[in-house]
Amino acid sequence: MIRAARGAIQVASDSREVIHQAGTRLVRAVLEANGLVESNLVSLVFSLTADLRSGNPATGLRAQGFAEVPLFCVQEASVEGSMARVIRLLATFEAPASWTETGRTRAEAVYLEGARALRPDLSKGPA
């Protein structure tokens, strides 16, 4: 069964290293929250707010060994008053057998750092 999980993280600054590290941290947190491994992933789509221009989280994730998963990165729609310096993630995956065994049907969303304020109702992941 194909499912999707979402997540977001707010970063402190616009630097390549910070963006790469945050993207990788976000992916790992989504995988952990949902009991997934890389081989469960169908694809990952990242979006970045317009103020993040120094790096690409997909490039950072590739450097960490994610070689088989299709990755895509886009600029988030610029909406007045929206939170600054946010990386968002949409992870599409094949639900593992353990989901069927436990009757689980929904993915856990993960919102980290300041992005927890975007969806406090879903912010169950690590701070």
Side-chain angles (χ1 to χ4, degrees):
M1 116 180 87
I2 300 293
R3 294 287 184 249
R6 60 189 169 192
I9 186 169
Q10 186 179 40
V11 298
S13 64
D14 176 29
S15 81
R16 183 174 56 178
E17 182 177 319
V18 167
I19 292 168
H20 287 184
Q21 289 175 352
T24 299
R25 180 174 173 223
L26 180 58
V27 168
R28 294 195 188 287
V30 167
L31 291 175
E32 183 178 332
N34 289 286
L36 304 172
V37 294
E38 182 182 353
S39 62
N40 294 117
L41 296 172
V42 173
S43 65
L44 298 174
V45 177
F46 294 96
S47 70
L48 289 85
T49 51
D51 51 1
L52 296 178
R53 303 169 49 122
S54 297
N56 178 331
T59 302
L61 194 59
R62 280 275 183 254
Q64 296 299 313
F66 276 70
E68 301 300 319
V69 180
L71 306 176
F72 195 70
C73 191
V74 298
Q75 185 175 35
E76 183 75 24
S78 182
V79 177
E80 189 173 322
S82 63
M83 184 178 286
R85 300 178 322 281
V86 175
I87 300 169
R88 289 177 173 82
L89 171 70
L90 180 63
T92 306
F93 59 92
E94 178 71 36
S98 62
W99 276 39
T100 305
E101 295 164 5
T102 61
R104 184 174 181 178
T105 59
R106 292 183 48 164
E108 292 290 330
V110 177
Y111 290 81
L112 304 173
E113 306 298 341
R116 294 172 71 87
L118 293 170
R119 290 298 305 264
D121 58 320
L122 297 178
S123 297
K124 298 175 187 166

